[in-house]
Amino acid sequence: GDAALEAPGAQSTLIGYGQTAPETQTSVPPTLPLQQATLPIISAGDCGLAYPRAIQPSMGCNEDLAHHTPLIQACPGDSGGPVIASTPSGPVQIGVTSWGSETMNGACGEKFLPDVYMRTAAFTDFINQKDPVIEPFIKRRRGTGGGFSRPVVKLAGTPREGHKLTCKAPKLG
């Protein structure tokens, strides 16, 4: 029943602790306050033009269509933060900030590209489960000293042209 909240042109608010400007090689990441910005949602088709073959039905996109200066955009440190729509009965979380311009070598606020969020509506069944199962997971063995060892990918064969090389991934549970 919340489809209108994610319609192109609807306003969404991103909330996060991310950067506010491109990070330089010598800068130390600052401790930033919680921030928010409001951006319009764009269609999956428009988002797909910016990120061909990457946008899935479980994803939504918003973008600074007004091209503010500085550009309003999700930046490193914002991932995992909520994407909120305002309604007369209060805020509704419609997504979780995921990724954006950094996938196209865009530093924070420098490229006019959409932000991508995971649509919470796409995961309603999972969210509402009493005991959700998160699969697959890697079965790990206990390492020496009582800790857990990292899963290891094993290669078999000769890694040379003309020879067969196979990869054995860790067991999934």
Side-chain angles (χ1 to χ4, degrees), residues 97-129:
T97 301
S98 188
W99 56 274
S101 65
E102 72 279 2
T103 63
M104 304 292 278
N105 297 319
C108 173
E110 289 187 346
K111 283 192 175 182
F112 296 110
L113 290 167
D115 299 322
V116 180
Y117 60 89
M118 301 286 83
R119 296 178 50 247
T120 51
F123 299 96
T124 302
D125 291 341
F126 175 80
I127 292 168
N128 289 328
Q129 287 181 22

Side-chain angles (χ1 to χ4, degrees), residues 25-120:
Q25 292 288 347
T26 57
S27 69
V28 175
T31 302
L32 297 171
L34 185 62
Q35 303 162 88
Q36 70 180 38
T38 301
L39 296 172
I41 293 172
I42 63 170
S43 71
D46 286 344
C47 196
L49 294 174
Y51 305 117
R53 298 178 301 281
I55 303 305
Q56 304 296 315
S58 61
M59 300 174 185
C61 301
N62 46 28
E63 184 175 12
D64 182 356
L65 298 175
H67 295 193
H68 291 93
T69 304
L71 182 63
I72 298 172
Q73 193 170 57
C75 292
D78 288 326
S79 295
V83 178
I84 305 290
S86 294
T87 72
S89 58
V92 173
Q93 183 172 357
I94 60 170
V96 177
T97 301
S98 188
W99 56 274
S101 65
E102 72 279 2
T103 63
M104 304 292 278
N105 297 319
C108 173
E110 289 187 346
K111 283 192 175 182
F112 296 110
L113 290 167
D115 299 322
V116 180
Y117 60 89
M118 301 286 83
R119 296 178 50 247
T120 51

